[in-house]
Amino acid sequence: MQAAFASLLKGFGQLADPAVIRVAAKSVGVTLLVFAAGAAALWWGLGLFVRSGPVEALLPDGYEGPAQAFAALALSLLAFWLLFRVVALAVLQFFADEIVAAVEARHYPEAAARAKPLPFARDLANSLRGAGRALALNALALPIALLLWITGIGPALVLLLVNAVLLGRELTDMAWLRHEADCAANPVPKAQRFALGAAIATLMLVPFANLLAPVVGAAAGTHLAQRALARRAGTEPADA
């Protein structure tokens, strides 16, 4: 757990790096645009639904607009809470190389010189696979979370557990694949991946901090990946 904690501290420490700031701005902007577009589409669709014959007949005169606004706001907030981790991580995949490269250039220059950035097609495939895994596992966990609703904290714990596993894998995959793209197994120990994923999943529950959590996670995942790759090679990173 100490390695994951140290990597997170280094990830936070690099938030002032201009390269990281640029990626953070792009990934946050695109993520918010995705949700804004989804909210606009939801508003439009609800407008058609509310003003359909059967639904409009059930509402008092003049309540169509407020009903549409309330439903759109409630569903948009629910979608943001449920899907933010999936969307943010999928968006970050497209910019992850820039964060990983910035971390490696600062802390692991020799590894940075050997790195082979993945082609766009491979990046896209990884992003789609990651988003698919996240959607599938969250969908499987949702019924369990609903069953535990009466416990109060049960749903949050179930979703946190699932996303800790997902995030730990995705955030370290971004880094080690630049060095061992043909290797079948992620070299970062599962315990470290889970600790990182749990920390980032928890951070994603905090308003405003959740916008930077994926970027911090990608930076921290790079440190964990470099430590693991160095152990596999029988050496230790110069900046462990």
Side-chain angles (χ1 to χ4, degrees):
M1 300 311 107
Q2 183 179 357
F5 181 70
S7 296
L8 280 167
L9 289 180
K10 289 181 180 180
F12 276 109
Q14 202 157 351
L15 282 177
D17 189 319
V20 174
I21 291 173
R22 285 194 297 271
V23 179
K26 287 188 291 188
S27 61
V28 168
V30 173
T31 300
L32 293 179
L33 280 175
V34 169
F35 280 105
L42 185 61
W43 172 275
W44 178 79
L46 284 171
L48 295 179
F49 177 72
V50 168
R51 288 171 177 78
S52 65
V55 177
E56 190 172 28
L58 294 174
L59 296 171
D61 290 342
Y63 276 75
E64 296 86 352
Q68 177 186 0
F70 176 78
L73 178 62
L75 290 174
S76 295
L77 290 175
L78 180 62
F80 187 82
W81 185 74
L82 289 174
L83 298 176
F84 176 78
R85 290 171 291 275
V86 176
V87 175
L89 201 59
V91 170
L92 183 65
Q93 288 274 11
F94 290 100
F95 307 116
D97 251 8
E98 296 177 52
I99 296 177
V100 175
V103 173
E104 289 180 349
R106 178 173 173 178
H107 295 275
Y108 314 100
E110 292 184 4
R114 296 192 303 269
K116 296 179 180 179
L118 298 179
F120 175 78
R122 181 75 180 273
D123 256 349
L124 178 61
N126 288 339
S127 179
L128 292 176
R129 277 197 297 270
R133 279 193 297 267
L135 285 171
L137 289 181
N138 275 279
L140 289 172
L142 194 56
I144 300 174
L146 292 175
L147 286 174
L148 296 174
W149 190 266
I150 57 173
T151 66
I153 196 172
L157 290 177
V158 169
L159 293 175
L160 181 65
L161 177 65
V162 169
N163 285 288
V165 174
L166 286 167
L167 288 168
R169 172 176 176 168
E170 301 300 334
L171 292 170
T172 49
D173 274 356
M174 294 176 183
W176 73 271
L177 286 171
R178 287 163 46 89
H179 299 276
E180 296 187 4
D182 297 325
C183 183
N186 187 316
V188 180
K190 290 182 179 179
Q192 292 182 14
R193 297 203 313 255
F194 181 81
L196 171 63
I200 298 303
T202 302
L203 196 59
M204 282 184 166
L205 298 175
V206 182
F208 302 109
N210 58 0
L211 298 175
L212 292 176
V215 175
V216 173
T222 303
H223 289 293
L224 289 180
Q226 284 300 324
R227 290 173 64 90
L229 290 171
R231 280 196 303 273
R232 177 177 285 178
T235 61
E236 284 293 332
D239 187 1

